Amino acid sequence: PSNATAETPTTLNATEPPLIMPGSSSNPITPPSTSDMPFTNSASSQDESAASGIGTDPSVSSSTTVDEMSALINQLSSKVDELSSKVEVEIAKTNKLGKELDEVKEFVYSMGTGKKIVFVLGAQPGNSKSFKNITVADYYCQHYAEKAKLSGDFLAWISDAEHSPADRFTKSDVPYALVSGEIVAKDWNHLTTGDLLTPISLGAGGMDYSGETVEGTHTVWTHTNVDGTWTGSGCNDDSMGGTMVMAGDLSSVSSSWTIGIVSDCSENGFIYCFEQ
């Protein structure tokens, strides 16, 4: 209608600050610092940094550590091999010295120091009066030893039911040797094991009976086992021809030296004599 009044537009107050939108160039948003964040886990951050290699020495890695350990193991292995070789050398030297010492002992013994003399008495029949008893055989051993200027007490290596070298001999811990110095056995234990180093074939005066046979044999009247005990039978002055007994073999270095052949008591045989 004609009498209507026109509305006048509202004018903003000039003193009211204008509305500023967030993020506008007039008021940029500044992100808060991590120190202002209440829920930041600094320890976890450090672990993550360490796992990723951030903040660590770039010259150290797991592969480098493995290589160093392998090199160290190789060095130790080489040292062990080196020491083992040295030990083997020392053992060889010790063994060599032991052999040289044995040779020196043999030489000393052969020069007449620390040994017991052994010799063989000339052949005679097994049923002769020499075997009436062991005392008679001992007498002959001592007699011929003194005749040859040998010192010491000598007994016959012969046994009967009551006596034997095992119970009446002095069991020597030094070698038994011929008058020439050759070693027969290293000691009593060696003597009674059966294996001699050389045959007992020399007489008290040095006569060599090794090439001599008595009635085609090298019979030695012993009536004695290799351990020095009685065999259970033997010849005496009552033994008749045809009585067979075990006897020793003059040429043997095995157990046959004392019990190795069968002989007739009417045959001739030698006698072993041992210094006590």
Side-chain angles (χ1 to χ4, degrees):
S2 58
N3 61 351
T5 303
E7 294 181 0
T8 302
T10 302
T11 303
L12 296 174
N13 188 346
T15 63
E16 183 178 347
L19 179 64
I20 304 300
M21 295 299 294
S24 67
S25 59
S26 300
N27 186 23
I29 297 173
T30 302
S33 66
T34 55
S35 61
D36 296 333
M37 293 183 176
F39 301 109
T40 300
N41 189 335
S42 59
S44 176
S45 300
Q46 292 173 1
D47 292 342
E48 291 176 359
S49 297
S52 63
I54 299 173
T56 61
D57 187 350
S59 64
V60 178
S61 67
S62 60
S63 61
T64 301
T65 303
V66 170
D67 291 342
E68 290 176 348
M69 291 298 294
S70 297
L72 179 59
I73 291 172
N74 291 334
Q75 290 178 3
L76 292 174
S77 179
S78 298
K79 286 291 185 182
V80 169
D81 292 340
E82 182 180 347
L83 289 174
S84 297
S85 298
K86 290 181 178 180
V87 169
E88 290 176 359
V89 170
E90 294 302 319
I91 291 175
K93 288 181 179 179
T94 300
N95 292 337
K96 182 179 179 181
L97 288 174
K99 292 179 180 179
E100 292 176 349
L101 180 59
D102 288 340
E103 292 175 357
V104 170
K105 287 182 179 179
E106 293 292 339
F107 175 75
V108 171
Y109 295 147
S110 69
M111 294 301 291
T113 302
K115 63 185 179 184
K116 299 295 184 181
I117 297 297
V118 182
F119 65 88
V120 65
L121 196 60
Q124 50 194 302
N127 57 4
S128 72
K129 293 188 182 297
S130 297
F131 295 98
K132 184 174 183 179
N133 55 57
I134 291 178
T135 303
V136 175
D138 289 342
Y139 167 80
Y140 280 107
C141 283
Q142 188 66 39
H143 173 74
Y144 282 95
E146 292 176 359
K147 189 175 180 179
K149 306 300 183 184
L150 299 177
S151 60
D153 297 324
F154 287 80
L155 298 177
W157 177 272
I158 195 168
S159 302
D160 61 19
E162 297 180 356
H163 306 286
S164 69
D167 59 41
R168 69 195 197 96
F169 271 33
T170 299
K171 297 174 177 59
S172 176
D173 58 0
V174 299
Y176 293 99
L178 302 177
V179 293
S180 63
E182 293 178 87
I183 304 301
V184 172
K186 295 179 180 179
D187 51 28
W188 171 265
N189 290 332
H190 184 195
L191 178 72
T192 53
T193 59
D195 297 327
L196 304 182
L197 298 177
T198 192
I200 305 173
S201 58
L202 296 185
M207 182 175 179
D208 187 358
Y209 292 100
S210 60
E212 182 178 334
T213 59
V214 182
E215 298 292 338
T217 70
H218 287 84
T219 301
V220 183
W221 303 120
T222 63
H223 316 153
T224 305
N225 294 310
V226 70
D227 63 359
T229 59
W230 184 43
T231 59
S233 64
C235 300
N236 55 50
D237 61 343
D238 296 323
S239 299
M240 303 297 292
T243 302
M244 308 301 290
V245 297
M246 294 298 296
D249 183 349
L250 183 72
S251 64
S252 178
V253 292
S254 69
S255 60
S256 295
W257 73 270
T258 183
I259 179 171
I261 58 178
V262 178
S263 295
D264 189 317
C265 286
S266 64
E267 297 176 356
N268 288 338
F270 297 92
I271 299 175
Y272 293 129
C273 301
F274 282 73
E275 181 184 358
Q276 302 306 296

